[in-house]
PDB file of all heavy atoms in Angstrom:
ATOM      1  N   LEU H  99     -31.671 274.600  -1.745  1.00 96.00           N
ATOM      2  CA  LEU H  99     -31.943 274.166  -0.446  1.00 96.00           C
ATOM      3  C   LEU H  99     -32.908 272.959  -0.521  1.00 96.00           C
ATOM      4  O   LEU H  99     -34.005 273.141  -0.996  1.00 96.00           O
ATOM      5  CB  LEU H  99     -32.601 275.291   0.341  1.00 96.00           C
ATOM      6  CG  LEU H  99     -33.197 274.999   1.686  1.00 96.00           C
ATOM      7  CD1 LEU H  99     -32.144 274.332   2.667  1.00 96.00           C
ATOM      8  CD2 LEU H  99     -33.818 276.171   2.352  1.00 96.00           C
ATOM      9  N   LEU H 108     -31.834 279.090  -4.944  1.00 96.00           N
ATOM     10  CA  LEU H 108     -31.292 280.385  -4.444  1.00 96.00           C
ATOM     11  C   LEU H 108     -30.326 280.919  -5.419  1.00 96.00           C
ATOM     12  O   LEU H 108     -29.473 280.194  -5.970  1.00 96.00           O
ATOM     13  CB  LEU H 108     -30.631 280.179  -3.125  1.00 96.00           C
ATOM     14  CG  LEU H 108     -31.423 279.410  -1.984  1.00 96.00           C
ATOM     15  CD1 LEU H 108     -30.551 279.123  -0.824  1.00 96.00           C
ATOM     16  CD2 LEU H 108     -32.590 280.324  -1.506  1.00 96.00           C
ATOM     17  N   VAL H 120     -22.251 281.620   1.242  1.00 97.00           N
ATOM     18  CA  VAL H 120     -23.580 281.762   0.636  1.00 97.00           C
ATOM     19  C   VAL H 120     -24.638 281.151   1.519  1.00 97.00           C
ATOM     20  O   VAL H 120     -25.798 281.746   1.797  1.00 97.00           O
ATOM     21  CB  VAL H 120     -23.689 281.100  -0.733  1.00 97.00           C
ATOM     22  CG1 VAL H 120     -25.147 281.143  -1.271  1.00 97.00           C
ATOM     23  CG2 VAL H 120     -22.786 281.827  -1.690  1.00 97.00           C
ATOM     24  N   CYS H 121     -24.338 280.064   2.109  1.00 95.00           N
ATOM     25  CA  CYS H 121     -25.197 279.449   3.064  1.00 95.00           C
ATOM     26  C   CYS H 121     -25.439 280.277   4.250  1.00 95.00           C
ATOM     27  O   CYS H 121     -26.620 280.475   4.699  1.00 95.00           O
ATOM     28  CB  CYS H 121     -24.569 278.078   3.596  1.00 95.00           C
ATOM     29  SG  CYS H 121     -25.614 277.021   4.589  1.00 95.00           S
ATOM     30  N   LYS H 122     -24.442 280.907   4.762  1.00 95.00           N
ATOM     31  CA  LYS H 122     -24.552 281.829   5.904  1.00 95.00           C
ATOM     32  C   LYS H 122     -25.342 283.081   5.500  1.00 95.00           C
ATOM     33  O   LYS H 122     -26.182 283.568   6.269  1.00 95.00           O
ATOM     34  CB  LYS H 122     -23.170 282.213   6.446  1.00 95.00           C
ATOM     35  CG  LYS H 122     -23.238 283.073   7.674  1.00 95.00           C
ATOM     36  CD  LYS H 122     -21.828 283.244   8.221  1.00 95.00           C
ATOM     37  CE  LYS H 122     -21.875 284.107   9.517  1.00 95.00           C
ATOM     38  NZ  LYS H 122     -20.521 284.349  10.056  1.00 95.00           N
ATOM     39  N   PHE H 123     -25.156 283.543   4.268  1.00 97.00           N
ATOM     40  CA  PHE H 123     -25.824 284.746   3.759  1.00 97.00           C
ATOM     41  C   PHE H 123     -27.361 284.506   3.809  1.00 97.00           C
ATOM     42  O   PHE H 123     -28.151 285.365   4.158  1.00 97.00           O
ATOM     43  CB  PHE H 123     -25.382 285.032   2.367  1.00 97.00           C
ATOM     44  CG  PHE H 123     -26.094 286.105   1.645  1.00 97.00           C
ATOM     45  CD1 PHE H 123     -25.759 287.417   1.861  1.00 97.00           C
ATOM     46  CD2 PHE H 123     -27.141 285.824   0.754  1.00 97.00           C
ATOM     47  CE1 PHE H 123     -26.457 288.500   1.213  1.00 97.00           C
ATOM     48  CE2 PHE H 123     -27.837 286.822   0.116  1.00 97.00           C
ATOM     49  CZ  PHE H 123     -27.436 288.170   0.354  1.00 97.00           C
ATOM     50  N   TYR H 124     -27.822 283.353   3.378  1.00 97.00           N
ATOM     51  CA  TYR H 124     -29.224 283.003   3.282  1.00 97.00           C
ATOM     52  C   TYR H 124     -29.851 282.497   4.558  1.00 97.00           C
ATOM     53  O   TYR H 124     -31.061 282.352   4.653  1.00 97.00           O
ATOM     54  CB  TYR H 124     -29.551 282.068   2.173  1.00 97.00           C
ATOM     55  CG  TYR H 124     -29.545 282.597   0.795  1.00 97.00           C
ATOM     56  CD1 TYR H 124     -28.574 282.360  -0.124  1.00 97.00           C
ATOM     57  CD2 TYR H 124     -30.593 283.502   0.394  1.00 97.00           C
ATOM     58  CE1 TYR H 124     -28.579 282.907  -1.466  1.00 97.00           C
ATOM     59  CE2 TYR H 124     -30.628 284.038  -0.884  1.00 97.00           C
ATOM     60  CZ  TYR H 124     -29.607 283.805  -1.773  1.00 97.00           C
ATOM     61  OH  TYR H 124     -29.699 284.393  -2.994  1.00 97.00           O
ATOM     62  N   SER H 125     -29.048 282.261   5.606  1.00 95.00           N
ATOM     63  CA  SER H 125     -29.532 281.684   6.900  1.00 95.00           C
ATOM     64  C   SER H 125     -30.524 282.568   7.602  1.00 95.00           C
ATOM     65  O   SER H 125     -31.345 282.121   8.367  1.00 95.00           O
ATOM     66  CB  SER H 125     -28.435 281.326   7.773  1.00 95.00           C
ATOM     67  OG  SER H 125     -27.626 282.405   8.194  1.00 95.00           O
ATOM     68  N   GLY H 126     -30.560 283.891   7.310  1.00 95.00           N
ATOM     69  CA  GLY H 126     -31.452 284.786   7.973  1.00 95.00           C
ATOM     70  C   GLY H 126     -32.870 284.578   7.440  1.00 95.00           C
ATOM     71  O   GLY H 126     -33.815 284.790   8.132  1.00 95.00           O
ATOM     72  N   TYR H 128     -33.702 281.536   5.735  1.00 94.00           N
ATOM     73  CA  TYR H 128     -34.005 280.123   5.890  1.00 94.00           C
ATOM     74  C   TYR H 128     -33.234 279.655   7.028  1.00 94.00           C
ATOM     75  O   TYR H 128     -32.056 279.223   6.907  1.00 94.00           O
ATOM     76  CB  TYR H 128     -33.612 279.449   4.593  1.00 94.00           C
ATOM     77  CG  TYR H 128     -34.281 279.975   3.349  1.00 94.00           C
ATOM     78  CD1 TYR H 128     -33.596 280.777   2.461  1.00 94.00           C
ATOM     79  CD2 TYR H 128     -35.516 279.606   2.987  1.00 94.00           C
ATOM     80  CE1 TYR H 128     -34.220 281.316   1.338  1.00 94.00           C
ATOM     81  CE2 TYR H 128     -36.188 280.071   1.888  1.00 94.00           C
ATOM     82  CZ  TYR H 128     -35.500 280.925   1.070  1.00 94.00           C
ATOM     83  OH  TYR H 128     -36.148 281.438  -0.083  1.00 94.00           O
ATOM     84  N   PRO H 129     -33.820 279.627   8.262  1.00 93.00           N
ATOM     85  CA  PRO H 129     -33.107 279.282   9.469  1.00 93.00           C
ATOM     86  C   PRO H 129     -32.480 277.865   9.465  1.00 93.00           C
ATOM     87  O   PRO H 129     -31.458 277.633  10.147  1.00 93.00           O
ATOM     88  CB  PRO H 129     -34.178 279.384  10.556  1.00 93.00           C
ATOM     89  CG  PRO H 129     -35.178 280.305   9.967  1.00 93.00           C
ATOM     90  CD  PRO H 129     -35.169 280.083   8.558  1.00 93.00           C
ATOM     91  N   GLU H 130     -33.032 276.968   8.637  1.00 92.00           N
ATOM     92  CA  GLU H 130     -32.498 275.627   8.629  1.00 92.00           C
ATOM     93  C   GLU H 130     -31.065 275.600   8.035  1.00 92.00           C
ATOM     94  O   GLU H 130     -30.349 274.613   8.235  1.00 92.00           O
ATOM     95  CB  GLU H 130     -33.420 274.643   7.885  1.00 92.00           C
ATOM     96  CG  GLU H 130     -33.675 274.932   6.420  1.00 92.00           C
ATOM     97  CD  GLU H 130     -34.910 275.824   6.193  1.00 92.00           C
ATOM     98  OE1 GLU H 130     -35.218 276.671   7.030  1.00 92.00           O
ATOM     99  OE2 GLU H 130     -35.568 275.605   5.219  1.00 92.00           O
ATOM    100  N   LEU H 131     -30.671 276.648   7.372  1.00 94.00           N
ATOM    101  CA  LEU H 131     -29.333 276.724   6.781  1.00 94.00           C
ATOM    102  C   LEU H 131     -28.242 276.933   7.850  1.00 94.00           C
ATOM    103  O   LEU H 131     -27.129 276.694   7.602  1.00 94.00           O
ATOM    104  CB  LEU H 131     -29.277 277.872   5.758  1.00 94.00           C
ATOM    105  CG  LEU H 131     -29.957 277.590   4.448  1.00 94.00           C
ATOM    106  CD1 LEU H 131     -29.933 278.787   3.566  1.00 94.00           C
ATOM    107  CD2 LEU H 131     -29.370 276.355   3.811  1.00 94.00           C
ATOM    108  N   THR H 132     -28.628 277.347   9.109  1.00 93.00           N
ATOM    109  CA  THR H 132     -27.649 277.482  10.127  1.00 93.00           C
ATOM    110  C   THR H 132     -27.003 276.167  10.506  1.00 93.00           C
ATOM    111  O   THR H 132     -25.834 276.134  11.027  1.00 93.00           O
ATOM    112  CB  THR H 132     -28.259 278.055  11.446  1.00 93.00           C
ATOM    113  OG1 THR H 132     -29.332 277.206  11.889  1.00 93.00           O
ATOM    114  CG2 THR H 132     -28.700 279.505  11.190  1.00 93.00           C
ATOM    115  N   SER H 133     -27.695 275.028  10.262  1.00 90.00           N
ATOM    116  CA  SER H 133     -27.080 273.728  10.506  1.00 90.00           C
ATOM    117  C   SER H 133     -26.944 272.906   9.226  1.00 90.00           C
ATOM    118  O   SER H 133     -26.841 271.707   9.267  1.00 90.00           O
ATOM    119  CB  SER H 133     -27.874 272.980  11.515  1.00 90.00           C
ATOM    120  OG  SER H 133     -29.165 272.726  10.973  1.00 90.00           O
ATOM    121  N   ALA H 134     -26.849 273.538   8.112  1.00 92.00           N
ATOM    122  CA  ALA H 134     -26.782 272.843   6.856  1.00 92.00           C
ATOM    123  C   ALA H 134     -25.353 272.614   6.391  1.00 92.00           C
ATOM    124  O   ALA H 134     -24.438 273.286   6.742  1.00 92.00           O
ATOM    125  CB  ALA H 134     -27.555 273.701   5.715  1.00 92.00           C
ATOM    126  N   SER H 135     -25.202 271.602   5.481  1.00 90.00           N
ATOM    127  CA  SER H 135     -23.911 271.346   4.917  1.00 90.00           C
ATOM    128  C   SER H 135     -24.117 271.458   3.397  1.00 90.00           C
ATOM    129  O   SER H 135     -25.130 271.251   2.791  1.00 90.00           O
ATOM    130  CB  SER H 135     -23.486 269.969   5.241  1.00 90.00           C
ATOM    131  OG  SER H 135     -24.279 268.954   4.768  1.00 90.00           O
ATOM    132  N   PHE H 150     -27.641 272.443  -0.446  1.00 95.00           N
ATOM    133  CA  PHE H 150     -27.664 272.640   1.004  1.00 95.00           C
ATOM    134  C   PHE H 150     -28.637 271.751   1.593  1.00 95.00           C
ATOM    135  O   PHE H 150     -29.837 271.666   1.167  1.00 95.00           O
ATOM    136  CB  PHE H 150     -28.041 274.072   1.360  1.00 95.00           C
ATOM    137  CG  PHE H 150     -27.077 275.136   0.882  1.00 95.00           C
ATOM    138  CD1 PHE H 150     -27.570 276.324   0.264  1.00 95.00           C
ATOM    139  CD2 PHE H 150     -25.672 275.043   0.956  1.00 95.00           C
ATOM    140  CE1 PHE H 150     -26.723 277.284  -0.201  1.00 95.00           C
ATOM    141  CE2 PHE H 150     -24.817 275.967   0.581  1.00 95.00           C
ATOM    142  CZ  PHE H 150     -25.332 277.114  -0.069  1.00 95.00           C
ATOM    143  N   GLU H 151     -28.180 270.889   2.529  1.00 91.00           N
ATOM    144  CA  GLU H 151     -29.111 269.969   3.210  1.00 91.00           C
ATOM    145  C   GLU H 151     -28.914 270.258   4.658  1.00 91.00           C
ATOM    146  O   GLU H 151     -27.821 270.207   5.246  1.00 91.00           O
ATOM    147  CB  GLU H 151     -28.801 268.569   2.850  1.00 91.00           C
ATOM    148  CG  GLU H 151     -29.122 268.181   1.376  1.00 91.00           C
ATOM    149  CD  GLU H 151     -29.069 266.843   1.063  1.00 91.00           C
ATOM    150  OE1 GLU H 151     -29.832 266.017   1.761  1.00 91.00           O
ATOM    151  OE2 GLU H 151     -28.258 266.374   0.259  1.00 91.00           O
ATOM    152  N   ALA H 152     -30.076 270.444   5.359  1.00 82.00           N
ATOM    153  CA  ALA H 152     -30.067 270.716   6.847  1.00 82.00           C
ATOM    154  C   ALA H 152     -29.702 269.423   7.533  1.00 82.00           C
ATOM    155  O   ALA H 152     -30.144 268.360   7.195  1.00 82.00           O
ATOM    156  CB  ALA H 152     -31.453 271.195   7.309  1.00 82.00           C
TER     157      ALA H 152
END
Side-chain angles (χ1 to χ4, degrees):
L99 169 58
L108 307 170
V120 173
C121 187
K122 187 174 181 179
F123 175 84
Y124 279 112
S125 66
Y128 303 100
E130 61 266 38
L131 288 176
T132 58
S133 66
S135 62
F150 297 134
E151 293 192 58

